[in-house]
Amino acid sequence: MEEKILFLKNAISTYLPPAHYQSLNYLVSHLYRVSQQSSQNLMSAYNLSTVFCPTLMRTPNISLKSFQLTTWQQEIQVLELIIQYHSKLFK
């Protein structure tokens, strides 16, 4: 798991412009706080990533439906990791 977190941290800090990095940091910090209240609002990190993934990680239109579903699932998992480990990714 540490390898995935390190890879994500490097990718985010290397490829995002500073303004985008700060915006993502702010948004993910908020999503993390929302997920901490999941016992009351039912919005776990997984549920939040399912809702926000189509906006934050847009997949190009692909005609292969099975490939697109797999891609969406992977993007949801990545965003879930970003939400869960935001404090390590945005140090």
Side-chain angles (χ1 to χ4, degrees):
M1 184 60 75
E2 287 297 320
E3 288 179 20
K4 288 181 182 181
I5 295 169
L6 184 60
F7 178 80
L8 280 172
K9 182 176 182 166
N10 289 335
I12 290 169
S13 62
T14 302
Y15 295 109
L16 287 180
H20 294 204
Y21 177 89
Q22 291 301 325
S23 296
L24 183 62
N25 181 15
Y26 186 81
L27 177 62
V28 171
S29 294
H30 173 69
L31 294 176
Y32 176 77
R33 287 191 303 272
V34 171
S35 73
Q36 294 302 296
Q37 304 299 318
S38 64
S39 62
Q40 289 134 5
N41 62 23
L42 303 179
M43 294 305 289
S44 63
Y46 176 80
N47 290 345
L48 289 166
S49 61
T50 301
V51 170
F52 282 92
C53 194
T55 302
L56 296 175
M57 303 176 89
R58 183 165 302 212
T59 304
N61 291 334
I62 301 171
S63 60
L64 301 172
K65 299 294 183 191
S66 61
F67 176 76
Q68 194 169 21
L69 287 175
T70 304
T71 303
W72 285 336
Q73 291 167 344
Q74 291 170 345
E75 290 171 351
I76 288 169
Q77 289 174 348
V78 169
L79 186 54
E80 181 181 15
L81 284 175
I82 292 172
I83 293 170
Q84 289 174 335
Y85 295 100
H86 82 283
S87 61
K88 291 184 179 183
L89 295 172
F90 294 98
K91 282 187 183 178

